[in-house]
Amino acid sequence: MTSALSSATSTISTLLGQTSLDDHEETLRAADKALKKSKTDTEAQHVKLVALLKLDRFDDALHVLKQGGDKLKERARLEWAYALYKAGKPEEAAEIAKDATERGLQHVEAQATYRAENFIRASAVYQQLSSDQVQAKNEEADLRINSGAVDAQLEWAGFDRPTRSKKPRREDLDAFETAYNAACGSIARGELGQGEVLLRRAKDLCNALEDLSEADKQAELLPLAVQHVYVLARQGRLDEAEKLASDIPMQEIPDPSTRYIAQINSLASRPKSNPFLTHRLFNSAPTFSQADQLFQYQQSIIRQDSFAIDLESLKHEGVAAATSREINSQSLPSLQYSLNSLSILNVAARARSESGKTALKQIVPLLEKRPNDIGLILTIVQLYVLTGNLGSATQLLEKFLSKLEQSGNDSHLNARFASGLVGTLVSLYVSQGQRSHLRTELAKAASYWRKRTKESSSSFTQPVHALKAAGSALLESSIPGDLSLAKAIFSDLHAQDAGDRYSTAGLVASLTFESPSEITATQLDALTPVERLVTSIDASALEAAGVARASAPTSTNTKRAAPETKASRPKKMKKSRIPKDYDPNKTADPERWLPMKDRSYYRPKGKKGKQRQAQLMQGGVVAEETSRPATPGGEGSRPGATVAAGGVISGGGGAGAGQAKKKKKGKGGKW
């Protein structure tokens, strides 16, 4: 066996010596000739594997690895991981290259974890590679470019890392690849203006390259133009976006996923278009290979676009059914952006794209079916705010968060203290001037975030900006416990990033209340001096311009005076409403709206009328009447009904006056 292996090795070496190193087809044919003599020749299998990888035949390379078995896989671990990565299996490739000491495998692990959207692990691997000594030519530039791409993806994924600078570095502006990655990071953070400037910088750097042909330059500039269309559309500059999109040659974009995104951005840049035509063009998507799939955040946005176009095409029932199936298959509450976006689209479909009170009537009953749906809760809160019903919005959100907090479930507590939900409730408190409620909520949330950070420092990313807001709000409190918590918050933030001036200022302010002696000179030097802050302020000029001065109150009455009402001009009456005998010089009768008998100047005519008037007048003479028995032959007379002074009726027991009046003309009883 040993002699046969030595013979096969010499044969493959001889064959390779007759070929060119750049002619991978010749190398592949030489390896096949050697394998015809010995199918178990590991050396020949390895050569064939490398040749297939050089020819981008990754599926064939995996087939060779399968035939070679564990022996070939152990020998060609780097090629095995690379073949899996290029064949669209990044998770398997990352698992094979995991914890490798070989630098080539570390590069493959970083690329594979990046494509598998494990951006935190990819960032850690690239940081480790950057800290070690560079071994290959141009490796340092490649590491800087790939690290910038990972940072941009972390921004899109919503990971907040306080130790990383958000501003582009000077070296990021030296190459068009790094400038493009910095632009993508700014766009992901919503800094569209800075993103547009960096895109233009990347374009200029690419055009200035001398080692690229014009065709290669155009291939590199097309993704930049597609991203620029997106930025212009987000800024509302639809005319510019439409013009730029029309200048992009879609068919010349080599990457199918980039070409599809360019088509979607082109549709989104059209200010007015036929929704049914847009629906047809949108759904004419190309088929992607397994190695050229969209990232998760891209798929989520495209799916939202699809449902939005369906709503524009009046397909409300279809959108409601499709989104309901997706929502019901997930566990709620969930903090996934894609799932909560589907909840909002589901609400829009059920409300038939209506808003305000009309939409509330349709979607509020959904709370009985999906009480833990965060997207549904936030949509109802937003509609309440739009209708001016801040009290109902606050009550609904408070009730929902209280229910999550009382459950005690870890996933429910994570949702309860999600920075977005806490921020929404705080905004409602601010709009209603409820400062004490605001501080209570922020103190409770900050305590939970600090506890989670200590318990699981690796898996939990604390919301730095929310902690800063909580600490600032607690500094306004007069409660000792709130001030102690503010000190603890800013102490932790300052320990994480001593260069953050906001955290330093908060720490100094919190120490001022409790222990001023702990404030160091370094912390004070990091703050902007007071003299510099007030350099441009002229107190005399401000006072001369009318600065409000404190003065003693002239009156103890704090009640606000009623506003002065201006005399309004009388409206001119229409001719059709003016009586025929109307005289504008005469004053109208003020009692003309009362009945005639109720007017003060009414005088009845005749004797009976005068008597009736006298009886109805307060203080008039009361006419006495002889009461009659209720029935003839009764036991005696009983009091009937009399008219009291002022016309008040007082009734006695037994039969009334009307009954006695009816018996007056009778001839007596039956007996």
Side-chain angles (χ1 to χ4, degrees), residues 443-492:
K444 188 186 300 184
S447 300
Y448 176 80
W449 294 331
R450 296 182 67 247
K451 179 182 176 182
R452 280 295 310 275
T453 303
K454 294 178 180 178
E455 292 177 351
S456 54
S457 57
S458 59
S459 60
F460 178 74
T461 303
Q462 62 178 356
V464 177
H465 297 295
L467 282 171
K468 290 179 179 179
S472 300
L474 293 173
L475 285 175
E476 301 175 2
S477 175
S478 59
I479 302 175
D482 292 345
L483 297 176
S484 300
L485 181 57
K487 175 186 173 182
I489 291 172
F490 285 118
S491 298
D492 294 343

Side-chain angles (χ1 to χ4, degrees), residues 368-387:
E368 298 181 1
K369 297 181 179 179
R370 307 203 305 260
N372 293 331
D373 191 341
I374 294 178
L376 175 61
I377 295 289
L378 291 179
T379 305
I380 297 176
V381 168
Q382 178 68 16
L383 290 174
Y384 275 138
V385 172
L386 291 176
T387 55

Side-chain angles (χ1 to χ4, degrees), residues 602-650:
Y602 171 68
R603 297 293 182 267
K605 297 180 180 180
K607 184 177 180 181
K608 292 184 178 180
K610 292 179 180 180
Q611 291 178 353
R612 189 180 303 109
Q613 181 71 10
Q615 292 176 0
L616 294 175
M617 292 175 58
Q618 186 172 358
V621 179
V622 180
E624 296 183 0
E625 294 184 3
T626 304
S627 58
R628 296 179 179 268
T631 56
E635 296 180 355
S637 63
R638 291 184 295 177
T642 57
V643 180
V648 180
I649 306 297
S650 60

Side-chain angles (χ1 to χ4, degrees), residues 382-431:
Q382 178 68 16
L383 290 174
Y384 275 138
V385 172
L386 291 176
T387 55
N389 196 349
L390 297 178
S392 297
T394 307
Q395 184 180 6
L396 174 63
L397 191 54
E398 286 178 338
K399 183 179 179 181
F400 174 65
L401 296 181
S402 176
K403 181 180 64 175
L404 293 181
E405 187 174 358
Q406 293 174 1
S407 66
N409 190 299
D410 289 341
S411 61
H412 287 195
L413 288 176
N414 290 338
R416 160 64 182 92
F417 293 105
S419 57
L421 291 176
V422 173
T424 303
L425 184 58
V426 167
S427 299
L428 291 172
Y429 286 148
V430 170
S431 61

Side-chain angles (χ1 to χ4, degrees), residues 31 86 89 92-93 136 167 419 452 520 604 614 659 661:
K86 297 297 288 186
K89 301 176 180 179
E92 299 180 30
K167 295 182 179 180
S419 57
R452 280 295 310 275
T520 62
Q659 200 173 17
K661 187 176 180 181

